[in-house]
Amino acid sequence: MYLSRFLSIHALWVTVSSVMQPYPLVWGHYDLCKTQIYTEEGKVWDYMACQPESTDMTKYLKVKLDPPDITCGDPPETFCAMGNPYMCNNECDASTPELAHPPELMFDFEGRHPSTFWQSATWKEYPKPLQVNITLSWSKTIELTDNIVITFESGRPDQMILEKSLDYGRTWQPYQYYATDCLDAFHMDPKSVKDLSQHTVLEIICTEEYSTGYTTNSKIIHFEIKDRFAFFAGPRLRNMASLYGQLDTTKKLRDFFTVTDLRIRLLRPAVGEIFVDELHLARYFYAISDIKVRGRCKCNLHATVCVYDNSKLTCECEHNTTGPDCGKCKKNYQGRPWSPGSYLPIPKGTANTCIPSISSIGTNVCDNELLHCQNGGTCHNNVRCLCPAAYTGILCEKLRCEEAGSCGSDSGQDAPPHGSPALLLLTTLLGTASPLVF
């Protein structure tokens, strides 16, 4: 008998929970901008911070090479195989598809068998430096969520700089330096991300661990995003609430993981020995088979969707915001200054919704979403709220006694009690049930 009563009450709670449309169970995803809830005033929208899902951002970038004619194959030339640098009968020919290595092969999705890759011209003009800038542009602010991974088909370069821009390529700043000898190349002591801490996480370092030449498993270069996240979220990134709290309150940290453009500066190819072999300059070149950049559109916590249309990424803004990054309030919704959403408090954050301007109220006083009549008022033709006798105001938001200065215990018009709608509804549902005895 007791079990059946318990199951009945459990079923009631499940029903209440489904009616309430709860927030996501996993903290920190921020994958809803609003949800409908039930209150004493009826069904209303509850707004929360939100952001798009993380995705592969290489699908949306544009790539530019400098110098523009640095790709091999025009005119055709031969180069030496990586496995045997003295076998120099491989050919690069831009006019023959199977022998061409254009820049788009850094981002294709054909798999690794056989691998395809972009390749530069060889170092035939030595001792003039063989240097290449590879610029990746999104024409949109994005937030990085995973390691940047560059896979070389050639040996990894002896010297390289990864740079970022926050202003669409007008100015650049270093992200990380890479070299076989950091002190010689950049006058910096070598470090790895493991040498950093929460307090030094924004330090720009030079690392030697990704710059070896012709050795086994030496093709990949990382820029470690997750290792930096781990200083706040723990080694397995389980405490995302802590990370989001830091991102919310520390603008420099948030900006560190935010870019509009990335630039890979290849400064010296893999040599593999102290001296360049001037008799076999076809050994030296750059070749990249894959670049991975994972992130999300920056929408200032005002959107969950970022659309790609006409070669352009744009946030589908909520919270009455607008702009490519949801960076301003919509017309007639400038009742307070625009503000980005906040990750805090966990788990739903704060939407910081743009509210109607005073001048806009009158043409559309109420509707079924943002301008919901309060305190039991009803919306009449989107023109005015019909308020209960005790309330007044454009949205029935004020007690009449407040305007008269007569609110108090003797007036009978005290403000309604605030409580958990779910708890009130559950109490009502359980009111007719017999008490449980354990």
Side-chain angles (χ1 to χ4, degrees), residues 31-52:
D31 53 359
L32 285 175
C33 291
K34 61 184 179 182
T35 186
Q36 284 189 319
I37 62 171
Y38 287 87
T39 70
E40 294 92 336
E41 303 159 11
K43 188 166 67 171
V44 298
W45 285 111
D46 186 35
Y47 294 87
M48 57 200 74
C50 53
Q51 63 186 4

Side-chain angles (χ1 to χ4, degrees), residues 4-54:
S4 64
R5 288 179 181 175
F6 177 78
L7 292 175
S8 298
I9 293 174
H10 177 71
L12 285 171
W13 177 246
V14 171
T15 301
V16 172
S17 300
S18 63
V19 169
M20 290 295 296
Q21 299 186 34
Y23 307 121
L25 294 178
V26 180
W27 283 19
H29 278 196
Y30 301 95
D31 53 359
L32 285 175
C33 291
K34 61 184 179 182
T35 186
Q36 284 189 319
I37 62 171
Y38 287 87
T39 70
E40 294 92 336
E41 303 159 11
K43 188 166 67 171
V44 298
W45 285 111
D46 186 35
Y47 294 87
M48 57 200 74
C50 53
Q51 63 186 4
E53 287 292 324
S54 175

Side-chain angles (χ1 to χ4, degrees), residues 56-357:
D56 178 6
M57 298 305 296
T58 60
K59 296 181 289 187
Y60 310 113
L61 63 76
K62 294 178 182 177
V63 59
K64 178 181 135 183
L65 269 60
D66 182 31
D69 60 349
I70 194 63
T71 300
C72 70
D74 186 18
E77 64 176 312
T78 56
F79 62 93
C80 305
M82 280 297 300
N84 186 344
Y86 297 100
M87 280 189 73
C88 301
N89 56 359
N90 292 322
E91 187 175 4
C92 180
D93 185 350
S95 64
T96 306
E98 58 268 25
L99 299 177
H101 298 284
E104 55 265 28
L105 295 184
M106 287 186 269
F107 314 102
D108 60 332
F109 300 95
E110 90 298 338
R112 303 280 299 170
H113 302 288
S115 65
T116 58
F117 51 93
W118 164 81
Q119 183 172 313
S120 75
T122 59
W123 206 358
K124 54 193 173 186
E125 296 186 14
Y126 178 84
K128 179 181 176 182
L130 180 61
Q131 298 182 348
V132 184
N133 287 345
I134 302 171
T135 303
L136 315 178
S137 301
W138 284 271
S139 299
K140 173 77 180 75
T141 311
I142 67 169
E143 297 168 331
L144 301 173
T145 59
D146 205 339
N147 293 355
I148 299 169
V149 183
I150 307 170
T151 304
F152 283 82
E153 192 68 17
S154 63
R156 296 182 293 194
D158 281 354
Q159 296 176 16
M160 182 188 115
I161 309 174
L162 180 65
E163 297 178 325
K164 61 171 285 189
S165 175
L166 263 172
D167 55 10
Y168 305 97
R170 288 187 287 273
T171 61
W172 295 90
Q173 54 189 301
Y175 237 171
Q176 193 150 294
Y177 295 87
Y178 301 82
T180 52
D181 188 331
C182 286
L183 198 58
D184 178 66
F186 301 116
H187 309 292
M188 299 172 69
D189 291 325
K191 284 188 178 181
S192 72
V193 173
K194 296 178 181 63
D195 298 319
L196 302 178
S197 67
Q198 282 192 16
H199 302 294
T200 60
V201 67
L202 304 184
E203 181 182 344
I204 308 303
I205 65 171
C206 179
T207 180
E208 295 178 355
E209 62 182 305
Y210 299 116
S211 301
T212 52
Y214 298 95
T215 59
T216 305
N217 300 321
S218 63
K219 290 188 173 185
I220 296 176
I221 283 180
H222 285 262
F223 178 71
E224 304 93 337
I225 297 288
K226 283 191 169 181
D227 284 348
R228 288 172 167 87
F229 285 167
F231 290 124
F232 307 99
R236 297 190 179 181
L237 303 183
R238 289 180 175 173
N239 188 10
M240 291 300 288
S242 175
L243 172 63
Y244 280 131
Q246 291 292 331
L247 291 172
D248 202 75
T249 56
T250 311
K251 184 178 184 299
K252 286 184 177 180
L253 183 67
R254 190 165 62 247
D255 286 349
F256 185 83
F257 300 111
T258 304
V259 304
T260 58
D261 307 77
L262 290 169
R263 185 162 68 184
I264 303 164
R265 294 183 58 196
L266 305 173
L267 303 179
R268 181 180 171 89
V271 173
E273 59 271 315
I274 297 176
F275 300 105
V276 173
D277 183 356
E278 296 185 40
L279 298 178
H280 299 91
L281 293 175
R283 296 176 56 186
Y284 309 118
F285 54 87
Y286 306 106
I288 296 177
S289 61
D290 192 38
I291 297 177
K292 285 185 170 62
V293 181
R294 192 166 185 85
R296 61 168 59 94
C297 291
K298 179 181 178 180
C299 300
N300 283 296
L301 296 179
H302 288 311
T304 58
V305 176
C306 192
V307 295
Y308 188 64
D309 189 32
N310 294 324
S311 300
K312 188 175 182 181
L313 284 166
T314 306
C315 301
E316 285 195 347
C317 301
E318 305 247 14
H319 304 156
N320 298 314
T321 62
T322 188
D325 298 345
C326 307
K328 60 182 180 179
C329 291
K330 286 165 55 175
K331 183 180 179 182
N332 296 329
Y333 287 89
Q334 298 163 341
R336 64 183 176 198
W338 174 90
S339 178
S342 170
Y343 287 113
L344 303 176
I346 299 293
K348 70 172 188 174
T350 305
N352 291 328
T353 305
C354 291
I355 64 174
S357 309

